[in-house]
């Protein structure tokens, strides 16, 4: 029952994430909701106090672990869903995945690193973040499908595909236990959760042979029957004969529903109420416990955070990206855009003209982040699909009529290459495509040459895409590091040159 | 004394009588008009028909009748290509694309003349899908029983030599333009920053793959030489809404004039000569027209040709 319900919930949210990624831009509310649930990307704008539209959802997700444990991880997260699915596959194939190590120094290091990067304004946290990485995986599939090739794939998505689909075959939910910075934060908060999966002292019956003692006078359980149903049910493999590995438990409730003796329970306990007595340390287990474990974890977080800061000041410092890499409309500025773009590729997947691309294997800073691939492609004037889907807020939403005015660059005319100016032949390929009236045609000898008015130019690249001059174009876009707004095209004030004799509509006779 | 009932009755029958008489009169007038164009004129079919003051579909009906009917161009079982301007993702009232009502009516008319298949496509400048939708042409064509085709796949194009072409020695042309039995060219009349005017000849740029080559090597020459590959059998220039400035894309309704005209001609050069006058610019301002005439593709001499002018509203 619980198992099926959970599967339905996970599958539904997985389907939602797929739907948003692969073109549900027509339903912006769904996309906005989806954005708010992608914890780290949604928080990437916290430096600018820029939170997603559904910020209460984000806020709720952040107090949820304190109230009800890691329901986000077990009932919502699509990344968890994929790993669970791989785990089920492993089970079906009869080789059961081993438990992952939920207390590794790696986990705390990744936690410190990712959050330090996020707070210091580097989008490089996306390499560790679960939702961004899932985005890269989708991007990989989306671009491969759109381009019918595997050329434009970020290496990250490929690695993440292995982590999600292959590793869980041998280590149950390895990513959640070993890397996920969001999961780690939730795990730490879960410690004080009011509701979470709890055990009675029954396991002690088996382990130490002592009599069961109900905690704080409440009859929580009658004792563990040691039937093993919980460990068979647990998708994370964190329950074994009634003892829960708190570092990995995601409160999926499957063990609770399987426990026949009522020993495992998802129950309320106030923080001031006494917890069950700790079982005697296993003399064979040489892993560090207690204070030493805490010190190792804290040390790993500190090293991670310091590494993050160091990276941010060094290899990830601004300005990242080539100057030629245009920032998509809605990106506002290089600073904001590059510290928030999580390289998920959602924008590239919805871009109808495919001018939005992901940076390839350039230095770490730009890997996979969105860029305008000027040259033979142009940003569609009427379209604002990328702004509507961006989950991290790297591109903020503007309605089409505002987006049409966002100036992301300026066109530069190279006169010595321009066909009418250099060769005296009519061309106007750039003027033909210009949607804003920034390019008008002025008389030049016997022909007409393009004339640029930068006040109207938005840097869409239509002119550059259209320019027939080879190999180097005669008109190119110089992207801006700081976006602004262009003037609204007003054709009545911009009468075309050379049309002195415009026939009047009341002219009744045939003109020929 | 007239009772109220009698009065109302008289009023009703009077109105009925007037209506019937009016209907009959209109019918008779229509029959007379049909009879007038059905009889083949002694001096042959007109070289060009100009129609004005009707809706695009209405003007087409009148114009094609004056040219001898669709049956003159489309024989039974023929495959027909209708090539409108669908280059821009703009709505019909923005004047950048051919009127969808007109395209639909032409497709319908070709189907009515027992064409086997009627294809419609344009190698759009902007995203093809958006252009098909925004222009309303895809919908109109489907409703009329035509078949929308795409033009974004290079495999659909065939390289052909242009006999007599100087700038255009060879060109990659959409197979439908080469293979269809009948080609009906349906441009919309607009000003153009490069070629000065886009009408019949310029519209054929939408059946070639590499337009950049034309721009690079001589736009005017290439436009003039392209019909050497094949001349459309019929040109129907949509001048209902005319973009008189800032063409071919246009910036707003201020660029448009409502001219309510249509030019039909089997002669592509003659159609462009009439279009230039309709646009209000001199023939010399559009260099490719005379150049095409020089290549023997048609005539620019509207005075020496048989031109029929019909005003639908009169």
């Amino acid at each position: 029952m619980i198992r099926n319900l959970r599967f339905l919930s996970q599958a539904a949210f997985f389907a939602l994430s797929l739907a948003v990624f692969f073109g549900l831009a027509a339903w912006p509310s769904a996309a906005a909701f989806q954005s708010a649930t992608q914890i780290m990307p949604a928080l990437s704008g916290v430096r600018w106090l820029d939170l997603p539209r559904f910020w209460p959802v984000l806020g709720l997700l952040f107090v949820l672990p304190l109230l009800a444990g890691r329901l986000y991880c077990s009932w919502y997260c699509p990344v968890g869903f994929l790993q669970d699915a791989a785990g089920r596959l492993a089970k079906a194939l009869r080789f059961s995945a081993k438990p992952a190590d939920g207390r590794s120094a790696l986990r705390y290091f990744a936690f410190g690193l990712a959050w330090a990067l996020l707070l210091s304004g580097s989008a490089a946290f996306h390499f560790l973040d679960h939702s961004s990485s899932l985005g890269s995986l989708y991007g990989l599939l989306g671009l491969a499908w759109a381009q019918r090739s595997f050329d434009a794939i970020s290496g990250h998505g490929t690695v993440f595909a292995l982590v999600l689909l292959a590793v869980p075959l041998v280590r149950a939910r390895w990513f959640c236990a070993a890397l996920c910075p969001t999961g780690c934060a939730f795990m730490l908060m879960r410690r004080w959760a009011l509701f979470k999966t709890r055990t009675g002292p029954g396991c002690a019956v088996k382990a130490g042979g002592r009599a069961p003692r109900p905690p704080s006078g409440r009859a929580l359980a009658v004792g563990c029957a040691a039937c093993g149903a919980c460990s068979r049910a647990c998708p994370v493999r964190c329950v074994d004969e009634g003892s829960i590995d708190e570092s990995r438990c995601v409160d999926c409730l499957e063990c609770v529903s399987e426990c026949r003796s009522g020993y495992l329970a998802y129950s309320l306990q106030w923080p001031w109420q006494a917890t069950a007595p700790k079982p005697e340390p296993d003399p064979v287990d040489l892993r560090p416990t207690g204070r030493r474990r805490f010190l190792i974890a804290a040390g790993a977080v500190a090293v991670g955070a310091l590494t993050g800061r160091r990276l941010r000041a060094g290899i990830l410092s601004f300005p990242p990206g080539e100057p030629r890499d245009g920032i998509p409309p809605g990106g506002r500025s290089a600073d904001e855009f590059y510290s928030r773009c999580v390289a998920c590729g959602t924008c590239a997947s919805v871009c109808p003209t495919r001018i939005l691309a992901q940076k390839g294997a350039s230095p770490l800073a730009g890997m996979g982040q969105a860029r305008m691939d000027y040259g033979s492609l142009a940003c569609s004037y009427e379209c604002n699909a990328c702004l509507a889907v961006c989950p991290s807020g790297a591109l903020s939403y503007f309605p089409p009529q505002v987006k049409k005015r966002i100036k992301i660059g300026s066109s530069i005319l190279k006169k010595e290459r321009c066909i009418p100016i250099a060769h005296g032949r009519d061309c106007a390929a750039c003027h033909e495509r210009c949607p804003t009236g920034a390019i008008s045609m002025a008389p030049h000898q016997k022909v007409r040459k393009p004339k640029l008015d930068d006040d109207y130019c938005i840097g869409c690249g239509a002119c550059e895409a259209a320019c027939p001059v080879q190999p180097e174009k005669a008109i190119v876009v110089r992207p801006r590091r700081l976006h602004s707004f262009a003037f609204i095209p007003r054709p009545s004030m911009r009468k075309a040159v050379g049309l002195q004799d415009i026939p009047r509509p009341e002219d009744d006779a045939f003109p020929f | 004394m007239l009772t109220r009932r009698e009065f109302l009755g008289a009023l009703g029958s009077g109105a009925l009588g007037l209506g019937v008489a009016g209907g009959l009169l209109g019918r008779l007038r229509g029959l007379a008009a049909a009879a007038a164009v059905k009889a083949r004129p002694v001096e042959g079919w007109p070289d060009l028909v100009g129609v004005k003051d009707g809706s695009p579909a209405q003007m087409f009906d009148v114009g094609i009748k004056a040219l001898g009917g669709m049956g003159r161009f489309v024989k039974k079982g023929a495959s027909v290509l209708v090539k409108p301007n669908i280059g821009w993702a703009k709505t019909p009232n923005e004047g950048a694309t051919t009127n969808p009502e007109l395209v639909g009516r032409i497709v319908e008319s070709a189907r009515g003349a027992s064409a086997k298949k009627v294809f419609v496509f344009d190698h759009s400048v902007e995203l093809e899908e958006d252009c098909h939708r925004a222009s309303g042409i895809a919908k109109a064509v489907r409703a009329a029983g035509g078949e929308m085709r795409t033009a974004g796949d290079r495999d659909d194009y065939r390289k052909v030599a242009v006999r007599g072409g100087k700038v255009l020695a060879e060109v990659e042309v959409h197979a439908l333009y080469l293979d269809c039995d009948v080609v009906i060219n349906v441009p919309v009349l607009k000003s153009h920053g490069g070629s000065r005017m886009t009408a019949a000849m310029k519209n054929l740029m939408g059946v070639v793959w590499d337009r950049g080559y034309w721009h690079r090597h001589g736009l005017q020459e290439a436009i003039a030489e392209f019909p050497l590959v094949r001349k459309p059998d019929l040109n129907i220039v949509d001048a209902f809404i005319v973009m008189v400035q800032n063409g071919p894309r246009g910036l707003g309704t201020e660029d448009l004039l409502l001219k309510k005209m249509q030019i039909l001609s089997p002669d592509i050069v003659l159609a462009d000569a009439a279009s230039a006058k309709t646009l209000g610019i001199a023939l010399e301002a559009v260099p490719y027209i005379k150049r095409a005439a020089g290549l023997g593709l048609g005539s620019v001499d509207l005075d020496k040709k048989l031109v029929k002018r019909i005003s639908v509203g009169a």
Side-chain angles (χ1 to χ4, degrees), chain A residues 113-478:
Chain A
L113 177 66
W115 285 97
L117 284 173
L118 184 144
L119 294 174
S120 63
S122 166
F125 70 82
H126 75 254
F127 286 106
L128 294 166
D129 174 50
H130 68 287
S131 47
S132 319
S133 301
L134 184 65
S136 336
L137 179 53
Y138 287 166
L140 179 149
L141 300 172
L143 284 176
W145 171 255
Q147 301 175 355
R148 305 285 191 280
S149 83
F150 283 95
D151 296 343
I153 280 162
S154 78
H156 179 207
T158 323
V159 172
F160 197 68
L162 288 176
V163 168
L164 279 198
L165 303 171
V167 177
L169 297 176
V170 288
R171 287 277 182 276
R173 273 213 181 201
W174 179 80
F175 176 78
C176 309
L179 279 182
C180 184
T182 312
C184 188
F186 285 176
M187 179 266 280
L188 294 173
M189 283 192 268
R190 181 181 179 275
R191 198 182 167 87
W192 298 285
L194 297 181
F195 277 94
K196 63 176 173 181
T197 314
R198 297 174 199 279
T199 57
C203 61
V205 179
K206 186 174 176 268
R210 285 180 300 165
R213 190 166 49 117
S216 64
R218 280 153 51 90
L220 186 74
V222 288
C224 175
C227 63
C230 51
S231 45
R232 278 195 300 279
C234 180
V236 191
R237 307 245 21 231
C238 72
V239 172
D240 192 18
E241 295 192 334
S243 93
I244 298 173
D245 181 350
E246 300 265 344
S247 69
R248 287 184 296 124
C249 177
V250 290
D251 298 300
C252 70
L253 310 184
E254 288 190 16
C255 60
V256 175
S257 79
E258 289 299 311
C259 183
R260 272 164 256 169
S261 56
Y263 174 73
L264 287 162
Y266 180 71
S267 60
L268 171 72
Q269 186 178 304
W270 299 102
W272 55 85
Q273 285 176 330
T275 50
K278 289 199 178 92
E280 297 285 315
D282 189 340
V284 188
D285 190 356
L286 294 176
R287 283 178 304 178
T289 50
R291 189 185 307 173
R292 272 184 65 201
R293 217 165 58 198
F294 172 76
L295 287 174
I296 289 173
V301 172
V303 172
L306 288 171
T307 312
R309 288 202 45 154
R310 189 93 199 122
L311 285 174
R312 174 71 180 74
I315 189 171
L316 301 178
S317 62
F318 289 111
E322 311 289 317
R324 182 71 182 124
D325 284 336
I327 299 166
R332 300 174 301 259
S333 67
D335 183 24
E336 275 180 272
F337 178 72
Y338 288 117
S339 67
R340 298 189 64 180
C341 174
V342 296
C344 65
T346 313
C347 52
S349 80
V350 298
C351 179
T353 66
R354 304 250 155 242
I355 189 176
L356 259 174
Q358 286 176 280
K359 287 190 207 178
S362 53
L364 205 59
M367 193 181 263
Q369 285 185 307
R371 69 186 179 91
M372 301 292 280
D373 191 9
Y374 288 115
S376 61
L377 302 164
C379 175
S380 174
Y381 186 55
E382 323 281 337
C383 166
N384 69 341
C386 54
L387 310 187
V389 295
C390 180
S392 73
L395 305 179
S396 42
Y397 181 79
F398 290 102
Q401 62 272 29
V402 181
K403 180 263 167 185
K404 282 179 183 174
R405 294 177 50 221
I406 299 177
K407 184 179 181 65
I408 64 172
S410 295
S411 293
I412 310 292
L413 182 67
K414 296 177 179 167
K415 294 202 169 91
E416 71 283 0
R417 304 189 61 80
C418 181
I419 290 171
I421 300 170
H423 305 291
R425 291 196 300 263
D426 272 315
C427 177
C430 54
H431 159 83
E432 198 174 298
R433 293 277 301 271
C434 179
T436 65
I439 303 175
S440 49
M441 299 305 289
H444 174 75
Q445 295 163 10
K446 280 180 154 180
V447 295
R448 295 204 215 158
K449 63 172 182 182
K451 196 164 142 276
L452 260 64
D453 191 340
D454 192 48
D455 288 341
Y456 294 89
C457 178
I458 55 172
C460 67
C463 50
E464 183 174 339
C467 181
V469 179
Q470 287 174 339
E472 202 184 305
K473 305 238 171 189
I475 190 164
V476 291
V477 176
R478 185 182 294 156

Side-chain angles (χ1 to χ4, degrees), chain B residues 6-44:
Chain B
E6 279 167 351
F7 172 72
L8 285 176
L11 205 66
S13 54
L16 196 74
L18 269 176
V20 169
L24 275 179
L25 209 66
R27 187 106 187 120
L28 276 176
R29 205 197 271 164
L31 282 177
V37 294
K38 242 186 202 147
R40 192 187 153 97
V42 272
E43 64 273 50

Side-chain angles (χ1 to χ4, degrees), chain A residues 352-353 380-382 419 425-429 431-437 441 446-448 468-470 489-492 494-496 498-499 501-505 507-512, chain B residues 48 50-52 88 125 127 191-194 196 202 212 215-220 244-249 251-252 254-255 257-259 261 263 274 277-281 302 307 309-310:
Chain A
T353 66
S380 174
Y381 186 55
E382 323 281 337
I419 290 171
R425 291 196 300 263
D426 272 315
C427 177
H431 159 83
E432 198 174 298
R433 293 277 301 271
C434 179
T436 65
M441 299 305 289
K446 280 180 154 180
V447 295
R448 295 204 215 158
V469 179
Q470 287 174 339
R490 274 180 294 179
S492 53
R494 303 169 56 74
K495 196 179 150 198
L499 263 178
D501 182 24
I502 295 176
R504 272 169 272 287
D507 184 2
D508 222 326
F510 274 95
F512 50 84
Chain B
L48 183 139
V51 193
K52 69 193 213 36
W88 311 92
V125 178
L127 291 172
S191 78
H192 194 285
R196 315 304 167 82
K202 176 75 176 64
H215 283 277
R216 250 189 327 274
H217 294 92
L219 187 61
Q220 299 288 353
V244 290
Q245 60 180 17
N246 289 323
R249 198 180 188 282
L251 297 171
E254 294 95 325
D255 296 328
L257 283 183
L258 187 65
K259 299 220 73 156
M261 286 180 61
I263 297 155
K277 292 204 163 172
T278 307
L279 190 62
I281 53 178
L302 282 158
V307 177
R309 299 170 182 84
I310 309 169

